[in-house]
Amino acid sequence: MTRPKLSVVIPAYNNAPYIEATVESVLGQDFGDFELIVADHSSTDGTADLLGKYADDRRVTLLSTPAGGGAPRNWQRVTAEATGEYVKLVCGDDLLYPGALAAQVAALDAHPSAVAVASRRDILDARGTKMIGGRGLQGLSGLVPGEEAIRRTVRLGTNVFGEPMCVTMRRDALERAGGWDGRFPYLIDMASYTKVLFHGDLYALRQVVGGFRVSAGQWSVALVAEQARQAKAYHRWVAGQLPGGLRAADVWQGNRRAELAALQRRLFYTLFRSRLSPR
């Protein structure tokens, strides 16, 4: 069998209220040369039962991941089964918009030096209603050197690339980088993109390709504080790893902005808590 152009992988965990909409948003794409691999991480809310309806779809492979190991274990597990030239991870509660796969595949096809393409997204509440439109990339557009994109995300103290469903990577580039990097658990996506972008360009596609769903489980005062702490640790790590280096001023600026982002995130969750539950 010939391998597909693209592998879409979904690491599902207790996503029962959302998983069907997520899967349907992938299967409904107008780009046909893809496989969809879903690994359920021993969910306790019936997610696996809901996924069973897709067992007969030839595009879909369903897997089960034993409990333990956190998100990195399931992300690595589901991605290890991918066979496509490109790979895209979509969390089990997010949505892809029509045309997302075709647009990102076309961008990578047209720019051989790009190891990843990133796009903008909408921020959705738990019920799928748009709260904020067209977030991401922070001014990046077109072909951007990987080191420049990494410096931008450090200086701004935020993930300019977006959540996993915003990004499609060359699978061999992700493998060369060691796969998903869990050293900063709340920043597993950003750290992994960074390792990939050490070795190639980013294509910043300003199209809005999907919706990132915000839910109550993503918020607590302690969690928001830990995200800021890990962002600072990420900045220190990048400063030591980036081939062209980082100025101390860039790291300082990124740290202050990460602290501000944490405060803004806490305020957002507090103001909109009533919209963060699926019911």
Side-chain angles (χ1 to χ4, degrees), residues 20-197:
E20 291 173 283
T22 299
V23 170
E24 293 293 344
S25 77
V26 177
L27 297 180
Q29 293 286 309
D30 58 0
F31 178 82
D33 191 8
F34 74 91
E35 63 180 354
L36 174 60
I37 305 169
V38 189
D40 178 63
H41 200 175
S42 302
S43 295
T44 58
D45 66 346
T47 295
D49 294 334
L50 294 171
L51 288 168
K53 66 185 285 186
Y54 302 105
D56 294 331
D57 191 314
R58 62 179 180 79
R59 299 169 292 178
V60 179
T61 299
L62 299 178
L63 307 173
S64 178
T65 302
R73 183 179 189 182
N74 204 26
W75 287 33
Q76 293 281 29
R77 155 78 163 144
V78 71
T79 306
E81 299 296 323
T83 64
E85 180 181 354
Y86 306 145
V87 63
K88 180 180 196 64
L89 188 145
V90 178
C91 293
D93 54 358
D94 293 334
L95 298 173
L96 292 184
Y97 293 165
L101 299 187
Q104 292 199 320
V105 166
L108 287 174
D109 282 348
H111 299 90
S113 69
V115 290
V117 55
S119 300
R120 297 187 299 160
R121 78 286 196 194
D122 293 333
I123 307 300
L124 312 178
D125 67 13
R127 300 170 181 84
T129 302
K130 183 165 67 176
M131 302 176 74
I132 305 173
R135 291 283 292 172
L137 299 181
Q138 277 73 18
L140 295 179
S141 183
L143 197 63
V144 181
E147 289 189 25
E148 180 182 330
I150 295 166
R151 288 191 184 92
R152 177 71 65 91
T153 207
V154 170
R155 288 173 185 144
L156 296 180
T158 189
N159 182 357
V160 305
F161 315 111
E163 293 77 29
M165 62 88 181
C166 299
V167 176
T168 297
M169 293 177 282
R170 297 187 189 275
R171 183 169 61 88
D172 61 354
L174 179 60
E175 290 174 351
R176 286 196 304 270
W180 297 105
D181 192 312
R183 74 184 68 206
F184 311 111
Y186 292 119
L187 308 176
I188 180 175
D189 50 357
M190 187 165 66
S192 303
Y193 306 152
T194 298
K195 290 180 68 175
V196 169
L197 289 168

Side-chain angles (χ1 to χ4, degrees), residues 248-269:
D250 293 329
V251 175
W252 184 89
Q253 182 181 74
N255 288 346
R256 302 292 81 74
R257 288 182 170 175
E259 292 168 352
L260 177 60
L263 293 174
Q264 292 171 331
R265 193 175 297 117
R266 184 184 301 177
L267 178 62
F268 176 89
Y269 286 133

